[in-house]
Amino acid sequence: MNDRRAMANATQGLRENLCQFPSMFAKVIEIRTVDEYHTATATLADLGHGPLAITCAHVLKDFVEPWKAGKAVIRVGNVRISPSDLIGFAEDGIDLATIRLSDEQAADLVGEDGIQTQLYQPTPSRWPPQSARAGETVGLGGFPGEWRQIRPDRKSTRLN
């Protein structure tokens, strides 16, 4: 009976850690226009060429032009992102958007309150990873909506 209890406790601990692991590298993306407010998830990474925020292209798709025209504000965590920081945007096929972060922006994101965030830095000898094979399990992480909150200093719909 003790073995079963020990196994159940270990399994619960593993489950909790696996659920928290993706959050260690994730920050919320906030997209604001005069009429809209949206959130999504960005993964923070440094793949050997400086800090990045990576998200899906469909997250930004409808806001890129208003953003470039100064009619939308996009933030990763508490850091405001400039349209010139968008260095990759591929809707077709891979649905990926890549945002360059300065070292200062990355330091601000890592230092924010909440779940302790860090930049994912893969082991160079294992990067880039091999492609997934058919039938192989692939895990994805994000920032669950239930953890998203509008902070008191952000309730305004002003573009700032």
Side-chain angles (χ1 to χ4, degrees):
M1 188 66 143
N2 269 345
D3 288 340
R4 283 185 154 176
R5 182 165 298 168
M7 182 62 82
N9 290 339
T11 302
Q12 180 62 31
L14 177 61
R15 183 178 301 127
E16 289 172 9
N17 283 316
L18 289 175
C19 290
Q20 291 176 8
F21 183 80
S23 299
M24 291 171 37
F25 307 106
K27 279 293 182 183
V28 67
I29 292 180
E30 295 180 353
I31 303 169
R32 292 179 182 263
T33 67
V34 171
D35 302 320
E36 297 180 68
Y37 176 78
H38 299 275
T39 60
T41 304
T43 298
L44 304 181
D46 184 338
L47 306 178
H49 300 286
L52 302 170
I54 304 164
T55 192
C56 296
H58 74 262
V59 167
L60 302 179
K61 177 181 158 183
D62 295 336
F63 302 98
V64 171
E65 292 310 314
W67 186 31
K68 289 179 179 178
K71 296 181 179 185
V73 171
I74 297 179
R75 291 180 186 270
V76 175
N78 291 328
V79 173
R80 186 171 177 165
I81 303 300
S82 167
S84 63
D85 296 327
L86 183 64
I87 58 171
F89 189 79
E91 289 181 82
D92 297 336
I94 61 172
D95 189 25
L96 196 64
T98 308
I99 299 166
R100 176 186 26 239
L101 301 170
S102 69
D103 289 336
E104 294 79 18
Q105 289 172 318
D108 286 347
L109 290 168
V110 169
E112 286 181 359
D113 291 338
I115 294 173
Q116 189 61 45
T117 304
Q118 52 190 293
L119 286 143
Y120 176 71
Q121 295 179 307
T123 305
S125 63
R126 294 174 52 199
W127 189 258
Q130 294 180 348
S131 296
R133 293 183 293 275
E136 188 173 30
T137 301
V138 177
L140 301 172
F143 198 75
E146 64 197 45
W147 291 356
R148 298 179 193 156
Q149 299 174 359
I150 296 178
R151 293 177 26 177
D153 60 332
R154 300 267 181 91
K155 287 187 179 178
S156 168
T157 57
R158 288 187 354 244
L159 294 179
N160 54 12

